[in-house]
Amino acid sequence: MTATAAHNTETAFATLSFKEIHAALLERKELALLDVREEAPFAEAHPLFAANLPLGRIELEAYSRIPRRDTRIVVYDDGEGLALAAAQRLRQLGYSAVHLLAGGLQGWRDAGGEIFRDVNAPSKAFGELVESQRHTPSLSAPEVKALLDGGADVVVLDARRFDEYNTMSIPGGISVPGAELVLRVRTLAPRPETRVIVNCAGRTRSIIGSQSLINAGIPNPVSALRNGTIGWTLAGQQLEHGKTHRFSERPLDQPDSAYHAQAASASRQVADRAGAGRADLATLERWQNDSGRTTYRLDVRTPEEYSRGHLPGFSSAPGGQLVQETDHVAPVRGARIVLADDDGVRANMTASWLAQMGWEVHVLDGLQPQHFSVSGNPSQTLPPQAPHESVTVQQLAQWLQEAPTGTALLDFTSSANYVKQHIPGARFALRSQLAAVLQQAAAAERYVLTCGSSLLAAYAAADAQQLTGKPVFVLEGGTAAWIAAGLPLETGETALASPRIDRYRRPYEGTDNPAAAMQAYLDWEYGLVAQLAADGSHGFFVI
């Protein structure tokens, strides 16, 4: 793939066309196609393999999500004027092969490129493809409720993250995140007559979870709860809230070692059928030294297990969520993925799905307990911050009390965190809209920037200084330090200097979604198989 000859001398960034990007995807060449808008507009329209990396968060996420500095990167927006700034920022961070998408998102449309909605579109489209080809069994919400009300021999396993399950769940359901299903199901449903029902919020994780159990050959009848908690709600049935019933994390060698051996054998066979590769530590070391390829190293166990001990250099990516969120965890399409666990089940099952999604994926074999030698959660690798002035919470409190109009306090945390609690008088701000935000507060004598920890605020300080020419300070310790000092807080949308577009409102999360939005989401999912065929770049297959 060669960059388009028309080199933009003003921006000094080459462009890549839809045709060139499509060809690279088909050839499995490494490519990171980055949508640098906020998540809400990204969710409205984007190419299938675009990954969302908002302009304002590039310093926080780029190094971990795009580890190789000479990765071919293409950035775009939809006419908002963010792409060039993002390209410049990535170049400043050391990325040497940054391009602009020719014509932006509109150029993609004009060239006939397929446009997808929502988040995690590759995984959701793949899930629909799996169901369409394997005819994964499913039961409607009224059918499942009738079984539960009738005291049938059933167990309901919730394949989502625990926090999602805790927010709302099917009555009697047990939290068993996706990668845990094959490993734990024989303990939770030891009788082969017990019907296993897998649910999520919508469709994807219940389809993948159910098909995982079927692929692994468990003797029980298996069904997905059709349309998940959305379907349950649309049927007028009540969900439970605040439940904490989780699978047991007892040691795998007791007392159900026979179940574990069965699960490990079956999972390996499924991974082999899907074409997942095998690697040992020596091979992994060689790949790590290969400067021409990106290798993602991911631990697919639970976050708690990861924290207790993991391999050096590996990131936590629980397997069920990894299959659900490949675009976020591994935005470099065409990269190599290496998976690790300590049981021989979760990595193999996860690898089986990633392989079917067109990834070069390998399971790390031969691991011993001593290899999981790093505890805790590793600190992030971040670029250096420009020098900036700081202010303590005590000094800020004094400024706000003595002359509240003289200090403009800008909060760059997520809008959800801001609404939950913020410093009185703080204005919610998106860094990507900093110029407009500062114009609203142009009369201030000084600017103080904060966020939860002030990490993002510190990166924004140099921009604010350049735009205003006035004193700019970063709050030491961020809003967390203000809270720790016991100072007053506000809640709600008290002062929004930017719109709340930093997070897309998912129709399948939370408890107050309009029925029309939930139904529209399901209708969109049903159409994804046709969209995949129209796109033609995915490389998916189903075993």
Side-chain angles (χ1 to χ4, degrees), residues 17-19 22 46-48 101-116 530-537:
S17 67
F18 158 77
K19 184 177 179 180
H22 197 263
H46 57 83
L48 177 63
L101 172 59
L105 186 58
Q106 190 59 47
W108 187 275
R109 291 190 187 96
D110 294 344
E114 190 70 12
I115 297 294
F116 289 77
Q531 276 204 277
L532 278 182
D535 177 78
S537 70

Side-chain angles (χ1 to χ4, degrees), residues 43 61 70 72 74 77 87 101 174 207 209 223 280 282 301 314 339 355-356 372 388 391 411 414 480 504 513 521 537:
E61 299 185 16
D70 56 351
R72 189 179 293 264
V74 184
D77 59 26
L101 172 59
I174 304 170
I207 293 169
S223 303
D280 56 21
R301 301 171 302 155
F314 274 68
L339 305 181
Q356 293 173 73
F372 296 81
H388 57 265
V391 61
D411 191 337
S414 69
Y504 160 63
N513 296 303
Y521 173 77
S537 70

Side-chain angles (χ1 to χ4, degrees), residues 275-462:
R278 302 282 153 197
D280 56 21
L281 288 171
T283 303
L284 176 60
E285 184 176 5
R286 188 169 70 250
W287 286 341
Q288 289 173 221
N289 295 326
D290 179 3
S291 61
R293 287 293 306 278
T294 299
T295 300
Y296 290 106
R297 295 168 288 168
L298 305 174
D299 186 321
V300 299
R301 301 171 302 155
T302 66
E304 294 82 3
E305 290 172 283
Y306 174 85
S307 181
R308 287 197 293 266
H310 57 268
L311 279 74
F314 274 68
S315 300
S316 177
Q321 284 304 114
L322 172 58
V323 174
Q324 175 81 355
E325 301 175 347
T326 53
D327 55 319
H328 181 82
V329 179
V332 181
R333 185 66 176 167
R336 178 194 293 125
I337 297 177
V338 178
L339 305 181
D341 65 18
D342 59 359
D343 53 78
V345 179
R346 290 173 282 188
N348 277 301
M349 287 309 302
T350 304
S352 75
W353 292 118
L354 296 182
Q356 293 173 73
M357 294 177 72
W359 288 96
E360 180 194 333
V361 58
H362 302 265
V363 176
L364 197 55
D365 284 341
L367 296 176
Q368 301 298 321
Q370 63 268 24
H371 294 134
F372 296 81
S373 58
V374 182
S375 61
N377 294 301
S379 57
Q380 233 178 325
T381 300
L382 296 170
Q385 300 168 351
H388 57 265
E389 295 292 329
S390 297
V391 61
T392 64
V393 293
Q394 292 79 13
Q395 180 64 69
L396 174 60
Q398 186 176 338
W399 284 344
L400 293 175
Q401 183 177 8
E402 292 176 350
T405 59
T407 299
L409 176 59
L410 307 181
D411 191 337
F412 293 94
T413 191
S414 69
S415 61
N417 285 342
Y418 174 87
V419 169
K420 184 178 179 181
Q421 58 184 7
H422 55 266
I423 299 171
R427 311 178 194 199
F428 168 71
L430 290 172
R431 187 181 170 204
S432 58
Q433 300 183 1
L434 184 57
V437 169
L438 291 171
Q439 197 168 17
Q440 294 177 38
E445 299 172 12
R446 69 176 74 88
Y447 298 87
V448 177
L449 314 185
T450 187
C451 60
S453 65
S454 273
L455 181 59
L456 181 56
Y459 284 113

Side-chain angles (χ1 to χ4, degrees), residues 34-37 75-84 103-106:
L34 303 180
D35 188 316
V36 296
R37 300 173 295 166
V75 298
Y76 74 88
D77 59 26
D78 197 17
E80 297 89 348
L82 306 173
L84 176 57
L105 186 58
Q106 190 59 47

